[in-house]
Amino acid sequence: MARTKKVGITGRFGARYGRKAKRSVKIIEENMKKNHVCPKCDRPYVKRQAAGIWKCRKCGAVFTGGAYVPQTPMVKSAARSIRDIKVEE
Ligand SMILES: [Zn+2]
């Protein structure tokens, strides 16, 4: 369970699964476990509950998002479309 600088969080896998796979997991999981900014109160208290479910520990807001990050590029383009539709009305 060595968490060296190189393997970081993927140190839990020991010597298994290879460097490439572990590096991908490292990038995704480190990003996932960061505190994300809440869309409701703008504070960095958002944590992942389950795949696609995010919860703010400050204001208690629960919302859906990407499986590993609350804001995916798809979410952004969808939000833009919604905003544009509202403007047209
Ligand atoms: Zn919040």
Side-chain angles (χ1 to χ4, degrees):
M1 284 285 283
R3 292 196 175 184
T4 60
K5 194 175 174 187
K6 194 173 173 184
V7 296
I9 199 165
T10 57
R12 70 178 192 272
F13 298 127
R16 296 170 300 245
Y17 312 118
R19 187 174 75 98
K20 260 185 166 174
K22 274 192 282 192
R23 194 169 50 190
S24 309
V25 169
K26 183 173 185 279
I27 293 165
I28 294 165
E29 288 199 350
E30 281 178 349
N31 201 19
M32 178 176 101
K33 286 179 176 170
K34 272 195 301 205
N35 281 323
H36 296 277
V37 175
C38 174
K40 206 174 175 189
C41 64
D42 286 327
R43 291 193 185 95
Y45 286 95
V46 171
K47 278 280 177 188
R48 187 179 183 264
Q49 298 282 304
I53 302 169
W54 300 84
K55 190 181 181 187
C56 176
R57 284 177 291 137
K58 196 79 185 171
C59 67
V62 180
F63 57 97
T64 56
Y68 306 109
V69 280
Q71 285 275 326
T72 60
M74 201 56 214
V75 169
K76 280 177 190 157
S77 78
R80 199 179 307 122
S81 303
I82 292 166
R83 195 197 60 211
D84 291 349
I85 290 163
K86 278 182 182 166
V87 166
E88 281 168 24
E89 284 172 349

Coordinates of all heavy atoms in Angstrom, one line a residue:
M1 N 0.8 -1.2 0.0 CA 0.0 0.0 0.0 C 0.9 1.3 0.0 O 0.6 2.2 0.7 CB -0.9 0.0 1.2 CG -2.1 -0.9 1.1 SD -3.4 -0.3 0.0 CE -4.2 0.9 1.1
A2 N 1.9 1.2 -0.8 CA 2.8 2.4 -0.8 C 2.2 3.5 -1.6 O 1.8 3.3 -2.8 CB 4.1 2.0 -1.3
R3 N 2.0 4.6 -1.0 CA 1.4 5.8 -1.8 C 2.5 6.7 -2.1 O 2.7 7.7 -1.5 CB 0.4 6.5 -1.0 CG -0.9 5.6 -0.8 CD -2.0 6.4 -0.4 NE -3.2 5.6 -0.4 CZ -4.4 6.0 -0.1 NH1 -4.6 7.2 0.2 NH2 -5.4 5.2 -0.1
T4 N 3.3 6.3 -3.1 CA 4.4 7.2 -3.5 C 3.9 8.3 -4.3 O 2.8 8.4 -4.7 CB 5.4 6.3 -4.4 OG1 4.7 5.9 -5.5 CG2 6.0 5.2 -3.6
K5 N 4.8 9.2 -4.6 CA 4.5 10.4 -5.4 C 4.0 10.0 -6.8 O 3.1 10.5 -7.4 CB 5.7 11.3 -5.5 CG 5.4 12.7 -6.0 CD 6.6 13.5 -6.0 CE 6.4 14.9 -6.6 NZ 7.7 15.7 -6.7
K6 N 4.7 8.9 -7.3 CA 4.4 8.5 -8.7 C 3.0 7.8 -8.8 O 2.3 8.1 -9.7 CB 5.5 7.5 -9.1 CG 5.6 7.2 -10.6 CD 6.8 6.4 -10.8 CE 6.8 5.9 -12.3 NZ 8.0 5.0 -12.4
V7 N 2.7 6.9 -7.9 CA 1.5 6.1 -8.0 C 0.3 6.8 -7.3 O -0.8 6.6 -7.6 CB 1.6 4.7 -7.6 CG1 2.6 3.9 -8.5 CG2 2.0 4.5 -6.1
G8 N 0.7 7.6 -6.3 CA -0.4 8.3 -5.5 C -1.5 7.4 -5.0 O -1.2 6.4 -4.4
I9 N -2.7 7.8 -5.3 CA -3.9 7.1 -4.8 C -4.0 5.7 -5.3 O -4.6 4.8 -4.7 CB -5.1 7.9 -5.3 CG1 -6.3 7.6 -4.4 CG2 -5.4 7.8 -6.7 CD1 -7.5 8.6 -4.5
T10 N -3.3 5.4 -6.5 CA -3.4 4.0 -7.0 C -2.4 3.1 -6.4 O -2.3 1.9 -6.7 CB -3.2 4.0 -8.6 OG1 -1.9 4.6 -8.8 CG2 -4.2 4.8 -9.3
G11 N -1.7 3.6 -5.3 CA -0.8 2.7 -4.6 C -1.6 1.5 -3.9 O -1.0 0.5 -3.7
R12 N -2.9 1.7 -3.8 CA -3.7 0.6 -3.2 C -3.7 -0.6 -4.1 O -4.1 -1.7 -3.6 CB -5.1 1.1 -2.9 CG -6.0 1.4 -4.1 CD -7.4 1.8 -3.6 NE -8.3 1.9 -4.7 CZ -8.5 2.9 -5.5 NH1 -7.8 4.0 -5.3 NH2 -9.4 2.9 -6.5
F13 N -3.4 -0.5 -5.4 CA -3.4 -1.6 -6.3 C -2.1 -2.4 -6.2 O -2.0 -3.5 -6.9 CB -3.7 -1.2 -7.7 CG -5.1 -0.5 -7.9 CD1 -5.2 0.7 -8.5 CD2 -6.2 -1.1 -7.5 CE1 -6.4 1.3 -8.7 CE2 -7.5 -0.5 -7.6 CZ -7.5 0.7 -8.2
G14 N -1.2 -1.9 -5.5 CA 0.1 -2.6 -5.4 C 0.8 -2.7 -6.8 O 0.8 -1.7 -7.5
A15 N 1.4 -3.8 -7.1 CA 2.1 -3.9 -8.3 C 1.3 -4.4 -9.5 O 1.8 -4.7 -10.6 CB 3.3 -4.9 -8.1
R16 N 0.0 -4.4 -9.3 CA -0.9 -4.9 -10.3 C -1.4 -3.9 -11.3 O -1.3 -2.7 -11.1 CB -2.2 -5.6 -9.7 CG -1.9 -6.7 -8.8 CD -3.1 -7.1 -8.0 NE -3.5 -6.0 -7.2 CZ -3.5 -6.0 -5.8 NH1 -3.1 -7.1 -5.2 NH2 -3.9 -5.0 -5.1
Y17 N -1.9 -4.4 -12.4 CA -2.7 -3.6 -13.5 C -1.9 -2.7 -14.4 O -2.4 -2.2 -15.4 CB -3.8 -2.8 -12.8 CG -4.6 -3.6 -11.9 CD1 -4.7 -3.2 -10.5 CD2 -5.3 -4.7 -12.3 CE1 -5.4 -3.9 -9.6 CE2 -6.0 -5.5 -11.4 CZ -6.1 -5.1 -10.0 OH -6.8 -5.8 -9.1
G18 N -0.6 -2.6 -14.2 CA 0.2 -1.8 -15.2 C 0.2 -0.3 -15.0 O -0.7 0.2 -14.3
R19 N 1.1 0.3 -15.6 CA 1.3 1.7 -15.4 C 0.3 2.6 -16.0 O -0.2 3.6 -15.4 CB 2.7 2.1 -15.9 CG 3.2 3.5 -15.6 CD 4.6 3.7 -16.1 NE 4.6 3.8 -17.6 CZ 4.7 5.0 -18.2 NH1 4.7 6.1 -17.5 NH2 4.7 5.0 -19.5
K20 N -0.1 2.3 -17.3 CA -1.0 3.1 -18.0 C -2.4 3.1 -17.4 O -3.0 4.2 -17.2 CB -1.1 2.5 -19.5 CG -0.3 3.3 -20.5 CD -0.7 2.7 -21.9 CE -0.2 3.6 -23.0 NZ -0.4 3.0 -24.3
A21 N -2.9 1.9 -17.0 CA -4.2 1.9 -16.5 C -4.2 2.6 -15.1 O -5.2 3.3 -14.8 CB -4.6 0.4 -16.3
K22 N -3.2 2.4 -14.3 CA -3.2 3.1 -13.0 C -3.1 4.6 -13.2 O -3.6 5.3 -12.4 CB -2.0 2.6 -12.2 CG -2.4 1.3 -11.4 CD -1.3 0.9 -10.4 CE -0.1 0.3 -11.0 NZ 0.7 -0.3 -10.0
R23 N -2.4 5.0 -14.2 CA -2.2 6.5 -14.4 C -3.6 7.1 -14.8 O -3.9 8.2 -14.3 CB -1.2 6.8 -15.5 CG -0.8 8.2 -15.5 CD 0.4 8.4 -16.4 NE 0.2 7.8 -17.7 CZ 1.1 7.7 -18.7 NH1 2.3 8.1 -18.5 NH2 0.8 7.1 -19.8
S24 N -4.4 6.4 -15.6 CA -5.7 6.9 -16.0 C -6.6 7.0 -14.7 O -7.2 8.0 -14.5 CB -6.4 6.0 -17.0 OG -5.5 5.7 -18.0
V25 N -6.5 5.9 -13.9 CA -7.3 5.9 -12.7 C -6.9 7.0 -11.8 O -7.7 7.7 -11.2 CB -7.2 4.5 -12.0 CG1 -7.8 4.5 -10.6 CG2 -7.9 3.5 -12.8
K26 N -5.6 7.2 -11.7 CA -5.1 8.3 -10.8 C -5.6 9.7 -11.2 O -6.2 10.4 -10.4 CB -3.6 8.3 -10.9 CG -2.9 9.3 -10.0 CD -1.3 9.1 -10.0 CE -0.6 10.0 -9.0 NZ -0.4 11.3 -9.5
I27 N -5.6 10.0 -12.5 CA -6.1 11.3 -13.0 C -7.6 11.4 -12.7 O -8.0 12.4 -12.1 CB -5.8 11.4 -14.5 CG1 -4.3 11.5 -14.7 CG2 -6.5 12.7 -15.0 CD1 -3.9 11.3 -16.2
I28 N -8.3 10.4 -12.9 CA -9.8 10.5 -12.7 C -10.1 10.5 -11.3 O -10.9 11.4 -10.9 CB -10.5 9.3 -13.4 CG1 -10.3 9.3 -14.9 CG2 -12.0 9.2 -13.1 CD1 -10.6 8.1 -15.7
E29 N -9.6 9.7 -10.5 CA -9.9 9.6 -9.1 C -9.5 10.8 -8.3 O -10.2 11.3 -7.4 CB -9.4 8.3 -8.4 CG -10.2 7.1 -8.9 CD -10.0 5.9 -8.0 OE1 -9.2 6.0 -7.1 OE2 -10.8 5.0 -8.2
E30 N -8.3 11.3 -8.6 CA -7.9 12.5 -7.9 C -8.8 13.7 -8.2 O -9.1 14.5 -7.3 CB -6.4 12.9 -8.3 CG -5.4 12.0 -7.5 CD -4.0 12.2 -7.9 OE1 -3.7 12.9 -8.8 OE2 -3.1 11.6 -7.2
N31 N -9.2 13.8 -9.4 CA -10.1 14.9 -9.8 C -11.5 14.7 -9.2 O -12.1 15.6 -8.7 CB -10.3 14.8 -11.3 CG -10.8 16.2 -11.9 OD1 -10.7 17.2 -11.2 ND2 -11.3 16.1 -13.1
M32 N -11.9 13.4 -9.1 CA -13.2 13.1 -8.5 C -13.3 13.4 -7.0 O -14.3 13.9 -6.5 CB -13.4 11.6 -8.7 CG -14.6 11.0 -8.1 SD -14.7 9.2 -8.6 CE -14.1 8.5 -7.1
K33 N -12.2 13.2 -6.3 CA -12.2 13.3 -4.8 C -11.9 14.7 -4.4 O -11.9 15.0 -3.2 CB -11.2 12.3 -4.2 CG -11.8 10.9 -4.3 CD -10.9 9.9 -3.8 CE -11.7 8.6 -3.8 NZ -10.9 7.4 -3.6
K34 N -11.6 15.6 -5.3 CA -11.4 17.0 -4.9 C -12.8 17.6 -4.5 O -13.8 17.1 -4.8 CB -11.0 17.8 -6.1 CG -9.5 17.8 -6.4 CD -9.1 18.9 -7.3 CE -9.7 18.8 -8.7 NZ -8.9 19.4 -9.8
N35 N -12.7 18.7 -3.7 CA -13.9 19.4 -3.4 C -14.3 20.3 -4.6 O -13.6 21.1 -5.1 CB -13.7 20.3 -2.2 CG -13.7 19.5 -0.9 OD1 -14.5 18.6 -0.7 ND2 -12.9 19.9 0.0
H36 N -15.6 20.0 -5.0 CA -16.1 20.7 -6.2 C -16.9 21.9 -5.7 O -17.5 21.9 -4.6 CB -16.8 19.8 -7.1 CG -16.0 18.7 -7.7 ND1 -15.2 18.9 -8.8 CD2 -15.7 17.5 -7.3 CE1 -14.5 17.8 -9.0 NE2 -14.8 16.9 -8.1
V37 N -17.1 22.9 -6.6 CA -17.9 24.1 -6.2 C -19.4 23.8 -6.4 O -19.8 23.3 -7.4 CB -17.4 25.3 -7.1 CG1 -18.3 26.5 -6.8 CG2 -16.0 25.6 -6.7
C38 N -20.1 24.2 -5.4 CA -21.6 24.0 -5.4 C -22.2 24.9 -6.3 O -22.0 26.1 -6.3 CB -22.1 24.1 -4.0 SG -23.9 24.0 -3.9
P39 N -23.1 24.5 -7.2 CA -23.8 25.4 -8.1 C -24.9 26.3 -7.4 O -25.3 27.3 -8.0 CB -24.5 24.4 -9.1 CG -24.6 23.2 -8.4 CD -23.5 23.1 -7.4
K40 N -25.2 25.9 -6.2 CA -26.3 26.6 -5.5 C -25.7 27.7 -4.6 O -26.1 28.8 -4.6 CB -27.1 25.6 -4.6 CG -28.5 26.1 -4.4 CD -29.3 25.0 -3.7 CE -30.7 25.5 -3.3 NZ -31.3 24.5 -2.4
C41 N -24.7 27.3 -3.8 CA -24.1 28.3 -2.9 C -22.7 28.7 -3.2 O -22.1 29.5 -2.5 CB -24.1 27.7 -1.4 SG -23.1 26.3 -1.2
D42 N -22.1 28.2 -4.3 CA -20.8 28.6 -4.8 C -19.7 28.3 -3.9 O -18.6 29.0 -3.9 CB -20.8 30.1 -5.3 CG -21.5 30.3 -6.6 OD1 -21.5 29.4 -7.4 OD2 -22.2 31.4 -6.7
R43 N -19.8 27.4 -3.0 CA -18.8 27.1 -2.0 C -18.2 25.7 -2.4 O -18.9 24.8 -2.9 CB -19.3 27.0 -0.6 CG -19.7 28.4 -0.1 CD -19.9 28.3 1.4 NE -20.4 29.6 1.9 CZ -21.7 29.8 2.1 NH1 -22.6 28.9 1.8 NH2 -22.0 31.0 2.6
P44 N -16.9 25.5 -2.2 CA -16.3 24.2 -2.5 C -16.6 23.1 -1.6 O -15.6 22.6 -0.9 CB -14.8 24.6 -2.6 CG -14.6 25.6 -1.6 CD -15.9 26.4 -1.6
Y45 N -17.8 22.7 -1.4 CA -18.1 21.6 -0.5 C -18.8 20.4 -1.1 O -19.5 19.6 -0.4 CB -19.1 22.2 0.6 CG -18.3 23.0 1.6 CD1 -18.3 24.4 1.5 CD2 -17.7 22.5 2.7 CE1 -17.6 25.2 2.4 CE2 -17.0 23.2 3.6 CZ -17.0 24.6 3.4 OH -16.3 25.4 4.3
V46 N -18.7 20.3 -2.4 CA -19.4 19.3 -3.1 C -18.6 18.0 -3.2 O -17.5 18.0 -3.5 CB -19.9 19.7 -4.5 CG1 -20.4 18.6 -5.3 CG2 -20.9 20.8 -4.4
K47 N -19.3 16.9 -2.7 CA -18.6 15.6 -2.7 C -19.5 14.6 -3.5 O -20.7 14.7 -3.6 CB -18.5 15.1 -1.3 CG -17.3 15.6 -0.5 CD -16.1 14.9 -0.9 CE -14.8 15.5 -0.2 NZ -13.6 14.9 -0.7
R48 N -18.8 13.6 -4.0 CA -19.5 12.6 -4.8 C -20.2 11.6 -3.9 O -19.5 11.0 -3.0 CB -18.5 11.9 -5.7 CG -19.0 10.9 -6.7 CD -17.8 10.3 -7.5 NE -18.2 9.4 -8.5 CZ -18.3 8.1 -8.4 NH1 -17.9 7.6 -7.2 NH2 -18.6 7.3 -9.4
Q49 N -21.5 11.3 -4.1 CA -22.2 10.4 -3.3 C -22.1 9.0 -4.0 O -21.9 8.0 -3.4 CB -23.7 10.8 -3.2 CG -23.9 12.1 -2.5 CD -23.8 11.9 -1.0 OE1 -24.5 11.1 -0.5 NE2 -22.9 12.6 -0.4
A50 N -22.4 9.0 -5.3 CA -22.4 7.8 -6.1 C -22.2 8.2 -7.5 O -22.0 9.4 -7.8 CB -23.7 7.0 -6.0
A51 N -22.1 7.3 -8.5 CA -21.9 7.7 -9.9 C -23.0 8.7 -10.3 O -24.2 8.4 -10.3 CB -21.9 6.5 -10.8
G52 N -22.6 9.9 -10.6 CA -23.5 10.9 -11.1 C -24.3 11.7 -10.1 O -25.1 12.5 -10.4
I53 N -24.1 11.3 -8.8 CA -24.9 12.0 -7.7 C -23.9 12.8 -6.9 O -22.9 12.2 -6.4 CB -25.7 11.0 -6.9 CG1 -26.6 10.2 -7.8 CG2 -26.4 11.8 -5.8 CD1 -27.3 9.1 -7.1
W54 N -24.1 14.1 -6.7 CA -23.2 15.0 -6.0 C -24.0 15.7 -4.9 O -25.1 16.1 -5.1 CB -22.6 16.0 -7.0 CG -21.8 15.3 -8.0 CD1 -22.3 14.7 -9.2 CD2 -20.4 15.0 -8.0 NE1 -21.3 14.1 -9.9 CE2 -20.1 14.2 -9.2 CE3 -19.4 15.2 -7.1 CZ2 -18.9 13.8 -9.5 CZ3 -18.1 14.8 -7.4 CH2 -17.9 14.1 -8.6
K55 N -23.3 15.9 -3.8 CA -24.0 16.5 -2.7 C -23.1 17.6 -2.1 O -21.9 17.4 -1.9 CB -24.3 15.5 -1.6 CG -25.3 16.0 -0.6 CD -25.6 15.0 0.5 CE -26.5 15.6 1.5 NZ -26.7 14.7 2.7
C56 N -23.7 18.7 -1.7 CA -23.0 19.8 -1.1 C -23.1 19.7 0.4 O -24.2 19.5 0.9 CB -23.6 21.2 -1.5 SG -22.9 22.6 -0.7
R57 N -22.0 19.7 1.1 CA -22.0 19.5 2.6 C -22.4 20.8 3.3 O -22.6 20.8 4.5 CB -20.7 19.0 3.1 CG -20.4 17.5 2.8 CD -19.1 17.1 3.2 NE -18.0 17.7 2.3 CZ -16.9 18.2 2.8 NH1 -16.6 18.2 4.0 NH2 -16.0 18.7 1.9
K58 N -22.4 21.9 2.6 CA -22.7 23.2 3.2 C -24.2 23.4 3.2 O -24.8 23.7 4.2 CB -21.9 24.2 2.4 CG -21.8 25.5 3.2 CD -20.8 25.5 4.3 CE -20.8 26.8 5.1 NZ -19.9 26.6 6.2
C59 N -24.8 23.4 2.0 CA -26.2 23.8 1.9 C -27.1 22.6 1.7 O -28.3 22.7 1.7 CB -26.4 24.8 0.8 SG -26.2 24.1 -0.9
G60 N -26.5 21.4 1.6 CA -27.3 20.1 1.5 C -27.9 19.9 0.1 O -28.7 19.0 -0.1
A61 N -27.5 20.7 -0.9 CA -28.0 20.5 -2.2 C -27.5 19.1 -2.8 O -26.3 18.8 -2.7 CB -27.6 21.6 -3.1
V62 N -28.4 18.4 -3.4 CA -28.1 17.1 -4.0 C -28.4 17.3 -5.5 O -29.5 17.8 -5.8 CB -28.8 15.9 -3.5 CG1 -28.5 14.7 -4.2 CG2 -28.5 15.8 -2.0
F63 N -27.5 17.0 -6.4 CA -27.8 17.2 -7.8 C -27.1 16.2 -8.6 O -26.2 15.5 -8.2 CB -27.4 18.6 -8.3 CG -26.0 19.0 -8.0 CD1 -25.0 18.9 -9.0 CD2 -25.6 19.4 -6.8 CE1 -23.7 19.2 -8.8 CE2 -24.2 19.8 -6.5 CZ -23.3 19.6 -7.6
T64 N -27.5 16.1 -9.9 CA -26.9 15.1 -10.8 C -25.8 15.8 -11.6 O -25.8 17.0 -11.7 CB -27.9 14.5 -11.8 OG1 -28.5 15.5 -12.5 CG2 -29.0 13.7 -11.0
G65 N -24.9 15.0 -12.1 CA -23.8 15.5 -12.9 C -23.1 14.3 -13.6 O -23.7 13.3 -13.8
G66 N -21.9 14.5 -13.9 CA -21.1 13.4 -14.5 C -20.8 12.3 -13.5 O -21.0 12.5 -12.3
A67 N -20.4 11.2 -14.0 CA -20.1 10.0 -13.1 C -18.9 10.3 -12.2 O -18.9 9.9 -11.0 CB -19.9 8.8 -13.9
Y68 N -17.9 11.0 -12.8 CA -16.7 11.2 -12.0 C -16.4 12.7 -11.7 O -15.5 12.9 -10.9 CB -15.5 10.5 -12.7 CG -15.8 9.1 -13.0 CD1 -16.0 8.6 -14.3 CD2 -15.8 8.1 -12.0 CE1 -16.3 7.3 -14.6 CE2 -16.1 6.8 -12.2 CZ -16.3 6.4 -13.5 OH -16.6 5.1 -13.8
V69 N -17.0 13.6 -12.4 CA -16.9 15.0 -12.1 C -18.3 15.6 -12.2 O -19.1 15.1 -13.0 CB -15.9 15.7 -13.1 CG1 -14.5 15.5 -12.7 CG2 -16.2 15.3 -14.5
P70 N -18.6 16.6 -11.4 CA -20.0 17.2 -11.5 C -20.3 17.9 -12.8 O -21.4 17.9 -13.2 CB -20.0 18.1 -10.3 CG -18.7 18.1 -9.6 CD -17.8 17.2 -10.3
Q71 N -19.2 18.5 -13.4 CA -19.4 19.2 -14.6 C -18.7 18.6 -15.8 O -17.4 18.7 -15.8 CB -18.9 20.7 -14.5 CG -19.8 21.5 -13.6 CD -20.9 22.2 -14.4 OE1 -20.7 22.5 -15.6 NE2 -22.0 22.4 -13.8
T72 N -19.4 17.9 -16.6 CA -18.7 17.3 -17.8 C -18.9 18.3 -19.0 O -19.7 19.2 -18.9 CB -19.4 16.0 -18.2 OG1 -20.7 16.2 -18.5 CG2 -19.3 15.0 -17.1
P73 N -18.1 18.2 -20.0 CA -18.3 19.0 -21.2 C -19.7 19.0 -21.8 O -20.2 20.0 -22.2 CB -17.3 18.5 -22.2 CG -16.2 17.8 -21.4 CD -16.9 17.3 -20.2
M74 N -20.3 17.8 -21.6 CA -21.7 17.6 -22.1 C -22.6 18.5 -21.3 O -23.6 19.1 -21.8 CB -22.0 16.1 -21.9 CG -23.1 15.6 -22.8 SD -22.9 16.0 -24.5 CE -24.6 16.2 -25.0
V75 N -22.4 18.5 -20.0 CA -23.3 19.3 -19.1 C -23.2 20.8 -19.5 O -24.2 21.5 -19.6 CB -22.8 19.2 -17.6 CG1 -23.5 20.2 -16.7 CG2 -23.1 17.8 -17.1
K76 N -22.0 21.2 -19.8 CA -21.8 22.6 -20.2 C -22.6 23.0 -21.5 O -23.3 24.0 -21.5 CB -20.3 22.9 -20.4 CG -19.7 23.2 -19.0 CD -18.2 23.4 -19.2 CE -17.5 23.4 -17.8 NZ -16.1 23.1 -17.9
S77 N -22.5 22.1 -22.5 CA -23.2 22.4 -23.7 C -24.7 22.3 -23.5 O -25.5 23.1 -24.1 CB -22.7 21.5 -24.8 OG -23.3 20.2 -24.8
A78 N -25.1 21.4 -22.7 CA -26.6 21.3 -22.4 C -27.1 22.5 -21.7 O -28.1 23.1 -22.0 CB -26.8 20.0 -21.5
A79 N -26.3 23.0 -20.7 CA -26.7 24.2 -20.0 C -26.8 25.4 -20.9 O -27.7 26.2 -20.7 CB -25.7 24.5 -18.8
R80 N -25.8 25.5 -21.9 CA -25.8 26.6 -22.8 C -27.1 26.5 -23.6 O -27.8 27.5 -23.9 CB -24.6 26.5 -23.7 CG -24.3 27.8 -24.4 CD -23.0 27.7 -25.3 NE -21.9 27.1 -24.5 CZ -21.2 26.0 -24.9 NH1 -21.6 25.3 -25.9 NH2 -20.2 25.6 -24.2
S81 N -27.5 25.3 -24.1 CA -28.7 25.2 -24.9 C -29.9 25.6 -24.1 O -30.8 26.3 -24.6 CB -28.9 23.7 -25.3 OG -27.7 23.3 -26.0
I82 N -30.0 25.2 -22.8 CA -31.1 25.5 -22.0 C -31.2 27.1 -21.8 O -32.3 27.7 -22.0 CB -31.0 24.9 -20.6 CG1 -31.2 23.3 -20.8 CG2 -32.1 25.4 -19.6 CD1 -30.8 22.5 -19.6
R83 N -30.1 27.7 -21.6 CA -30.0 29.1 -21.4 C -30.5 29.9 -22.7 O -31.3 30.8 -22.7 CB -28.6 29.6 -21.1 CG -28.5 31.0 -20.5 CD -27.1 31.5 -20.6 NE -26.6 31.5 -21.9 CZ -25.3 31.3 -22.3 NH1 -24.4 31.1 -21.4 NH2 -25.0 31.4 -23.6
D84 N -30.0 29.4 -23.8 CA -30.4 30.0 -25.1 C -31.9 29.9 -25.4 O -32.5 30.8 -25.9 CB -29.6 29.3 -26.3 CG -28.1 29.7 -26.2 OD1 -27.8 30.6 -25.4 OD2 -27.3 29.1 -26.9
I85 N -32.5 28.7 -25.0 CA -33.9 28.5 -25.2 C -34.7 29.5 -24.4 O -35.6 30.2 -24.8 CB -34.3 27.1 -24.9 CG1 -33.7 26.1 -25.9 CG2 -35.8 27.0 -24.8 CD1 -33.7 24.7 -25.5
K86 N -34.2 29.7 -23.1 CA -34.9 30.6 -22.2 C -34.8 32.1 -22.7 O -35.8 32.8 -22.6 CB -34.2 30.6 -20.8 CG -34.8 29.4 -20.0 CD -34.1 29.4 -18.6 CE -34.6 28.2 -17.8 NZ -33.8 28.0 -16.6
V87 N -33.7 32.4 -23.3 CA -33.5 33.8 -23.9 C -34.5 34.0 -25.0 O -35.1 35.1 -25.1 CB -32.1 34.0 -24.3 CG1 -31.9 35.3 -25.2 CG2 -31.2 34.1 -23.1
E88 N -34.7 33.0 -25.8 CA -35.6 33.2 -27.0 C -37.1 33.4 -26.6 O -37.8 34.0 -27.4 CB -35.5 31.9 -27.9 CG -34.3 31.9 -28.8 CD -34.0 30.6 -29.4 OE1 -34.9 29.8 -29.6 OE2 -32.8 30.3 -29.7
E89 N -37.5 32.9 -25.5 CA -38.9 33.0 -25.1 C -39.3 34.5 -24.8 O -38.5 35.2 -24.2 CB -39.2 32.1 -23.9 CG -39.3 30.7 -24.3 CD -39.3 29.7 -23.1 OE1 -39.1 30.1 -22.0 OE2 -39.6 28.6 -23.3
Ligands
ZN1 ZN -24.0 24.3 -1.6

